[in-house]
Amino acid sequence: MAIRLGLGLPQNRQYDLGRDVPEVARTAERIGYDSLWVYERALFPEPATQGLYGIEGLPWPDSYRHVADPLITLTLAAAATERVRLGSSVLVAPLHQPFQLAKSLASLDAASGGRVIAGFGTGWSLDEYAAAGIRPIKERGRVLDEVIDVCRAVWGPDPVRYDGSITRIDSAVVGPKPARPIPILLAASSRKAQERLVDHADGWLPVGMGVEQIATQWQELQDLAAERGRQQPIQTVLRANAEYSAKAYDGADRRPFHGSADQIAEDLLAHAEIGLEEILVDLQSSARDARELGDIAAEVYEKARAAGV
């Protein structure tokens, strides 16, 4: 069976949110993509007080200056499609009030007929945490734990009860409920984050930085799951931040998923052979507008399937 392929929705500055998101969503579904994805970047500090990913001196990409809200983007895509699943890779969960996030995701799942995938991460931006005002960044792991717990409670049977550090629900009916249990996937690289995933989540959201690195991390995660006695399989969705070129990139130092459609397809095949279930290809930075994004997405999909992905 061929690996599932997803497409990143247009959220950046060059796109018109209300017009282009539905257009790209419909186009992706027609092409054959299995899922549509969003990411979260709440703001762009200027001047930057912190490097990208917290790495000193590493500049933020200009595309982060204008990133549409992920849940609004997914809602627009849900209304324009019928089949594709709707995922986040990732929502920076500790930037959100846990109860409201749980209710929003449940409502979106109910409205879309059970197509939501809740992908969470902890983020790294000091400025985003300060602006959100939920909790300090040093507490991000505990907040993510509470978000997961609140989601499970709110999405479960009534009456809902929960008593945490941020959220208190004494006893309440909370609806609508999701159309089916919403899978929670986590971006996890550290040992502690992997333990949280194995113990409390449904799947893993790695970022494609190279076949050997992902294969090693995937094996480590499976070994940890066996060590901790996990019985359920771990779902996997790899994020491929792609850069498309009409001509092939030359040189041995070509980054994964950068180059022509044939080269991107080769990288997709190599990562698929690790044993992952799904790969989301984000091509939005490669296109000037929604029409070009749709054309590139169609070419990459065709080449990937022809290559055996």
Side-chain angles (χ1 to χ4, degrees), residues 75-136:
T75 301
L76 289 167
T81 57
E82 297 178 355
R83 172 185 58 80
V84 288
R85 295 177 304 145
L86 307 158
S88 56
S89 178
V90 296
L91 286 174
V92 185
L95 301 183
H96 299 263
Q97 202 280 338
F99 175 78
Q100 190 56 57
L101 180 59
K103 188 169 175 66
S104 294
L105 289 169
S107 298
L108 180 58
D109 193 73
S112 65
R115 294 189 280 147
V116 171
I117 305 165
F120 295 154
T122 55
W124 45 267
S125 170
L126 297 170
D127 296 275
E128 289 183 338
Y129 270 82
I134 303 297
R135 281 290 191 271

Side-chain angles (χ1 to χ4, degrees), residues 29-45:
E29 188 169 65
R30 184 172 64 250
I31 290 168
Y33 280 94
D34 299 285
S35 54
L36 297 169
W37 296 82
V38 293
Y39 74 106
E40 182 163 35
R41 194 82 282 136
L43 50 73
F44 188 100

Side-chain angles (χ1 to χ4, degrees), residues 35-83:
S35 54
L36 297 169
W37 296 82
V38 293
Y39 74 106
E40 182 163 35
R41 194 82 282 136
L43 50 73
F44 188 100
E46 198 168 47
T49 56
Q50 180 189 28
L52 184 68
Y53 311 129
I55 301 172
E56 185 176 356
L58 189 63
W60 291 44
D62 192 63
S63 59
Y64 283 2
R65 290 180 178 274
H66 181 112
V67 181
D69 177 87
L71 293 180
I72 297 297
T73 305
L74 280 183
T75 301
L76 289 167
T81 57
E82 297 178 355
R83 172 185 58 80

Side-chain angles (χ1 to χ4, degrees), residues 167-281:
T167 309
R168 180 174 177 179
I169 309 169
D170 289 330
S171 180
V173 174
V174 183
K177 300 297 184 184
R180 92 298 188 218
I182 298 175
I184 294 177
L185 279 62
L186 300 180
S189 55
S190 70
R191 172 76 181 197
K192 189 171 183 178
Q194 289 177 341
E195 289 176 353
R196 176 184 293 114
L197 188 160
V198 167
D199 294 344
H200 301 294
D202 299 293
W204 181 43
L205 290 169
V207 177
M209 304 298 290
V211 173
E212 291 185 5
Q213 179 179 342
I214 295 300
T216 298
Q217 290 180 351
W218 179 220
Q219 188 60 56
E220 290 174 351
L221 193 58
Q222 292 177 91
D223 291 344
L224 180 62
E227 174 188 320
R228 298 176 77 86
R230 180 183 174 117
Q231 299 299 315
Q232 306 93 335
I234 297 173
Q235 300 176 35
T236 53
V237 181
L238 176 80
R239 166 173 275 276
N241 294 317
E243 183 176 305
Y244 168 86
S245 171
K247 297 181 179 180
Y249 282 7
D250 296 325
D253 58 347
R254 181 181 69 86
R255 289 183 290 166
F257 308 109
H258 285 52
S260 67
D262 283 312
Q263 288 176 314
I264 293 173
E266 290 173 7
D267 292 334
L268 289 170
L269 179 60
H271 284 78
E273 290 174 343
I274 296 171
L276 305 177
E277 293 177 311
E278 185 163 359
I279 303 177
L280 91 92
V281 189

Side-chain angles (χ1 to χ4, degrees), residues 109-156:
D109 193 73
S112 65
R115 294 189 280 147
V116 171
I117 305 165
F120 295 154
T122 55
W124 45 267
S125 170
L126 297 170
D127 296 275
E128 289 183 338
Y129 270 82
I134 303 297
R135 281 290 191 271
I137 194 170
K138 65 182 180 181
E139 298 180 25
R140 60 189 182 273
R142 289 195 294 273
V143 178
L144 177 55
D145 288 336
E146 181 157 331
V147 168
I148 294 172
D149 289 345
V150 170
C151 283
R152 302 290 195 204
V154 167
W155 300 342

